[in-house]
């Protein structure tokens, strides 16, 4: 890797860290703007001014906001996420298993969505202007137009209620085997697949169509190569940069977008934990979960940016 390329990637990593720092400030500030008092909410109706004051001191709520932020972000950097206000357990212990479940679900959805999206995009480009291309494009636009929760409920209606082939609730237990996990996680994975495949499909088609207009593609056709060979052997390698970029961005969406899908299917992931913690005003868990989601999104976007630079020589030229 050349010095200029390494410098460009280092600058983007620095910008990503700065972005994550600003996001942490926003998360902490948003928690402080929530109505009501956390100590009063925890103690309930039997609270007294003395018990409220004692709990506020115990939680550090009597300190200035900047001191509480520095204490929180310092703990996050060292891996000390604090303790849950609802259960008293360490936040890292609560998040650990849930994060693995969320990453597993996102990986399952990615294994389904990425090959299907690229294959359909290639077919749409190969059959450009034909009925199959129009059908694929209409299906992609329809999928983009539907919100995640609507897609999830439609899938529950058909796969669970009408046909009865998949469970409506993805209540996966820690001791579940791989077969049981796949059976219960298939429906939420399909919902995530439908929500993300359309973007990858359309970018694949657009990139291939753009490359097919190049002179060397016309030369390959004049040599008598079949359309499929022209697309796979000549067009696809030169269209990889935008395709890789959009795949990485959609993988980031898979990590963050699981919140709605996990809530609908009651899947025991980090998104479901975040929703439950918001309802319980469990501030340490909410802050940690939000920052983890933000870090995953920023990291995958940085990977997408780096891959775009590595696969596209034009992006390496300083302007």
């Amino acid at each position: 890797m050349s010095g200029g390329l390494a410098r460009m990637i280092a600058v983007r990593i620095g910008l990503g860290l700065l972005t994550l720092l600003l996001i942490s400030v926003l998360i902490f500030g948003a928690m402080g703007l929530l109505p009501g008092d956390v100590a009063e909410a925890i103690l309930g109706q039997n609270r007294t001014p003395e018990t409220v004051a004692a709990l506020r001191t115990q939680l550090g709520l009597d300190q200035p906001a900047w001191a509480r932020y520095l204490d929180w972000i310092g703990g996050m950097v060292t891996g000390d996420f604090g303790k849950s206000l609802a259960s008293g357990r360490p936040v890292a212990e609560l998040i650990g298993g849930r994060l693995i479940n969320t990453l597993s679900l996102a990986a399952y959805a990615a294994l389904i969505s990425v090959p299907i999206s690229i294959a359909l995009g290639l077919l749409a480009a190969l059959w450009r202007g034909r009925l199959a291309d129009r059908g694929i494009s209409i299906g992609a636009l329809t999928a983009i137009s539907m919100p995640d929760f609507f897609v999830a409920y439609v899938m529950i209606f058909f796969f669970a209620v009408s046909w009865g082939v998949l469970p409506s609730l993805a209540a996966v237990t820690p001791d579940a085997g791989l077969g049981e996990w796949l059976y219960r996680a298939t429906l939420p994975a399909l919902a995530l697949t439908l929500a993300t495949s359309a973007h990858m499909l359309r970018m694949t088609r657009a990139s291939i169509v753009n490359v097919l207009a190049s002179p060397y593609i016309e030369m390959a056709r004049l040599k008598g190569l079949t359309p499929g060979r022209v697309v796979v052997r000549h067009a696809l390698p030169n269209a990889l940069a935008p395709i890789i970029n959009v795949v990485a961005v959609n993988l980031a969406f898979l990590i963050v977008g699981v919140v709605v899908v996990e809530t609908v299917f009651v899947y025991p992931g980090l998104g479901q934990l975040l929703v439950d913690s918001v309802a319980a005003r469990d501030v340490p868990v909410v802050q940690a979960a939000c920052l983890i989601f933000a870090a995953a999104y920023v990291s995958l976007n940085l990977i997408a940016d780096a891959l775009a630079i590595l696969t596209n020589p034009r992006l390496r030229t300083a302007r």
Side-chain angles (χ1 to χ4, degrees), residues 126-296:
L126 186 61
W127 296 331
R128 181 178 45 166
R130 299 181 186 178
L131 182 61
D133 178 27
R134 295 192 184 96
I136 292 173
S137 298
I138 291 173
L141 288 173
T142 303
I144 292 174
S145 304
M146 293 187 297
D148 296 348
F149 69 89
F150 179 75
V151 172
Y153 283 121
V154 169
M155 287 191 166
I156 288 175
F157 176 77
F158 284 107
F159 287 94
V161 178
S162 299
W163 302 333
V165 294
L166 291 171
S168 60
L169 299 180
V172 180
T173 57
D175 57 346
L178 179 60
E180 177 71 13
W181 185 88
L182 290 174
Y183 173 67
R184 295 193 173 277
T186 294
L187 205 51
L190 290 177
L192 287 171
T193 296
L194 190 59
T196 57
S197 294
H199 298 281
M200 292 185 284
L201 186 158
R202 287 173 60 82
M203 179 55 71
T204 301
R205 180 191 181 279
S207 301
I208 296 296
V209 168
N210 184 55
V211 172
L212 287 177
S214 303
Y216 71 90
I217 295 295
E218 186 64 28
M219 180 62 68
R221 287 171 176 162
L222 292 175
K223 289 181 179 179
L225 297 181
T226 62
R229 188 178 180 85
V230 168
V231 170
V232 174
R233 294 292 300 273
H234 296 276
L236 181 59
N238 293 283
L240 280 179
I243 294 174
I244 291 174
N245 194 13
V246 76
V247 166
V249 170
N250 276 273
L251 291 181
F253 174 79
L254 279 177
I255 300 295
V256 180
V258 295
V259 176
V260 174
V261 173
E262 286 184 359
T263 303
V264 172
F265 291 100
V266 198
Y267 180 80
L270 189 58
Q272 179 66 36
L273 177 64
L274 174 61
V275 173
D276 294 341
S277 300
V278 169
R281 294 184 63 87
D282 198 344
V283 175
V285 178
V286 174
Q287 289 176 332
C290 288
L291 194 59
I292 288 174
F293 277 128

